[in-house]
Amino acid sequence: MRRVVIFRNGCQVDGKVIMVTHSMQDLLRDASRKLNIKASRVFTPKGGEIDDVQLIMDDDILYISGGEPFISVDDKHYNCVGPFASKSNCLTPKSTTNSSSDWVSLNVGGKIFSTTRSTLVVKEPNSMLSRMFACDPSFVLPSLRDSTGAYLIDRSPEYFGPILGYLRHGQLIMDRDMSPRGVLEEAKFYGITSLIQLLENIIANEETPSPDVNAIPLTRRDVIDALISTAFNAELRFQGINLAGADLSRLDLRHINFKYAILRGANLQGANLSYCCLERCDLSGSNMESAVLYGVKMVCANMEGANLRTARMEDPLGKQANMEGVNLKGACLEGSQMCNVNLRVATLKNANLQNCDLKGATLAGADLENCDLSGSDLHEANLRGANLKNAMFELMLTPLHARNLIIDQ
């Protein structure tokens, strides 16, 4: 398949690259679409008319007519610049190079920006702005102008400033309170490829601010005040908050977002934590004895050494407690109601799970090394791939359903 560069008849400033396929009809159709004319005739640079695609060579330059005769172009009045310079389609008249006509004004969302054509063209030659201005000043891709002659672009002026600065000196400079996502959307619109990649890297490297572990932890009084002042149907968030050692025993904490919170050594005895989000919380060494944990989300939480004796996780409404990947190393869950709980790939090494109700629980891939499961009900529990090295199963209430069980020795 051959590639050619096409121009409007008599013009050298609107070149388009198209592929020559199988017939003249296809060529004229593609040329009409690219040049926004009703193409009917094709000429060589010397004025010879082409009526057969077999006469076209790869990388040829062709002139497209809407039916009028060939119009000659005087090449000696042009300098060769821009994306088609190698094809001898010179884009900038010598008479305007380095003159005041090299300056253009853009009206972006009501704000005027003045710059040079070279700024808009050189750094990103394939961008929308380059396609608009990498040509003779008498020709610009269709764009309305305001009363001052500035080209109208209906986009955000706030985010265009950093983009124009980047095109000028290659550095992205934004105000501290400016959203990089906003600049990214504009960079995508204008097709500034290198800036798109830079902004995507900046956004990817943004991290959720880490909680200040040295801050004074909130107290029981602080939490109660927040509960009292929050409407019952409003979301209450303690995300990332330091509650280390706080006494939250017997409080109704349902539906609160504690994601990333520090609850290390906190007293949550008898507290109702149903439907809370405790993902990636630090609950190490906390006391959660008899706590209510219906439908709780505790993915990847650190509960090493925590006390969950007689905790209740079996939701009467059937919502599953999700403790996937949780660290319960050395924790005490004796007598807990854990029916249908999801403990997939959880760490339960040296944990005490005596007399627990684990019917239908998912323990696939869990580390149960040295775990004491004596007296627990494991009816229909999923232990596929679990590490049961030295785990204890004394005095089981029901037969252990060990189909597909893998014991790592």
Side-chain angles (χ1 to χ4, degrees):
M1 190 174 291
R2 289 150 291 171
R3 183 186 71 169
V4 296
V5 181
I6 58 173
F7 293 88
R8 286 190 179 91
N9 189 24
C11 182
Q12 282 188 309
V13 296
D14 60 348
K16 306 288 184 183
V17 178
I18 66 170
M19 307 304 293
V20 179
T21 53
H22 302 91
S23 66
M24 285 298 295
Q25 288 77 8
D26 291 342
L27 175 63
L28 292 170
R29 181 196 63 213
D30 293 342
S32 299
R33 180 168 49 84
K34 288 282 187 176
L35 298 178
N36 198 27
I37 63 174
K38 187 174 182 180
S40 61
R41 302 176 71 180
V42 181
F43 298 98
T44 68
K46 299 295 184 181
E49 186 168 359
I50 297 175
D51 57 5
D52 189 337
V53 292
Q54 299 302 321
L55 300 175
I56 300 173
M57 304 297 291
D58 194 21
D59 289 338
D60 269 354
I61 294 177
L62 304 176
Y63 290 86
I64 308 300
S65 162
E68 71 276 12
F70 175 71
I71 302 173
S72 177
V73 178
D74 187 358
D75 293 328
K76 66 184 179 181
H77 293 299
Y78 292 84
N79 289 325
C80 294
V81 296
F84 300 107
S86 61
K87 306 298 181 185
S88 300
N89 54 310
C90 307
L91 302 179
T92 306
K94 287 182 179 179
S95 60
T96 63
T97 302
N98 298 324
S99 70
S100 60
S101 60
D102 187 49
W103 283 84
V104 294
S105 293
L106 305 175
N107 184 334
V108 182
K111 184 175 180 179
I112 303 298
F113 295 86
S114 294
T115 186
T116 62
R117 294 177 185 273
S118 59
T119 294
L120 301 174
V121 170
V122 173
K123 186 170 181 60
E124 289 283 344
N126 295 317
S127 70
M128 184 195 81
L129 295 170
S130 179
R131 293 197 303 272
M132 287 180 66
F133 296 103
C135 55
D136 176 45
S138 63
F139 176 81
V140 178
L141 290 181
S143 177
L144 296 176
R145 301 196 195 192
D146 64 14
S147 58
T148 67
Y151 296 96
L152 289 164
I153 301 177
D154 187 17
R155 300 296 292 187
S156 168
E158 177 185 0
Y159 297 124
F160 182 72
I163 290 175
L164 183 57
Y166 177 79
L167 293 176
R168 283 170 171 157
H169 45 67
Q171 299 294 320
L172 176 62
I173 301 175
M174 301 185 297
D175 292 339
R176 183 172 299 178
D177 58 348
M178 181 172 290
S179 168
R181 294 186 183 276
V183 182
L184 174 60
E185 289 305 309
E186 297 306 295
K188 288 179 178 178
F189 173 79
Y190 294 110
I192 315 296
T193 307
S194 59
L195 183 56
I196 291 172
Q197 185 61 54
L198 178 60
L199 286 162
E200 286 179 344
N201 291 339
I202 291 173
I203 294 170
N205 290 331
E206 285 184 341
E207 299 179 354
T208 303
S210 301
D212 185 357
V213 297
N214 297 317
I216 299 175
L218 295 185
T219 65
R220 181 183 181 89
R221 181 73 260 171
D222 296 326
V223 174
I224 291 175
D225 288 344
L227 291 171
I228 293 173
S229 61
T230 304
F232 75 95
N233 58 348
E235 181 185 14
L236 183 56
R237 301 177 64 182
F238 286 100
Q239 188 167 343
I241 296 299
N242 187 354
L243 289 159
D247 180 8
L248 305 177
S249 58
R250 297 178 178 80
L251 291 181
D252 186 351
L253 304 171
R254 287 175 294 174
H255 300 285
I256 295 178
N257 184 351
F258 287 103
K259 189 173 183 178
Y260 295 110
I262 299 173
L263 288 155
R264 184 172 54 249
N267 182 7
L268 291 157
Q269 183 177 7
N272 190 345
L273 291 158
S274 297
Y275 316 112
C276 282
C277 178
L278 291 156
E279 293 181 14
R280 302 183 186 277
C281 271
D282 183 359
L283 284 154
S284 56
S286 61
N287 180 10
M288 303 178 72
E289 184 172 355
S290 301
V292 182
L293 299 166
Y294 299 155
V296 73
K297 298 177 183 177
M298 304 180 78
V299 175
C300 296
N302 179 17
M303 304 179 71
E304 184 171 351
N307 176 18
L308 286 93
R309 190 187 303 269
T310 65
R312 289 175 287 165
M313 304 176 200
E314 183 182 358
D315 185 2
L317 300 178
K319 188 165 183 179
Q320 182 186 53
N322 188 358
M323 301 174 72
E324 183 171 339
V326 71
N327 178 14
L328 283 161
K329 185 177 180 180
C332 177
L333 295 101
E334 184 178 356
S336 294
Q337 298 176 12
M338 304 174 68
C339 184
N340 296 316
V341 68
N342 179 11
L343 282 163
R344 194 175 73 86
V345 299
T347 300
L348 290 151
K349 188 174 182 179
N350 300 317
N352 179 1
L353 274 80
Q354 296 182 57
N355 304 312
C356 288
D357 182 356
L358 286 160
K359 292 192 297 289
T362 301
L363 289 157
D367 184 0
L368 293 161
E369 184 176 351
N370 298 320
C371 182
D372 189 353
L373 288 152
S374 299
S376 291
D377 187 348
L378 287 161
H379 182 68
E380 295 187 350
N382 180 359
L383 293 164
R384 185 191 299 268
N387 176 15
L388 295 167
K389 184 177 180 180
N390 298 324
M392 290 176 281
F393 295 96
E394 304 295 331
L395 304 173
M396 304 304 294
L397 298 180
T398 61
L400 175 64
H401 291 250
R403 184 173 57 183
N404 299 319
L405 182 64
I406 298 174
I407 301 177
D408 299 329
Q409 298 292 345

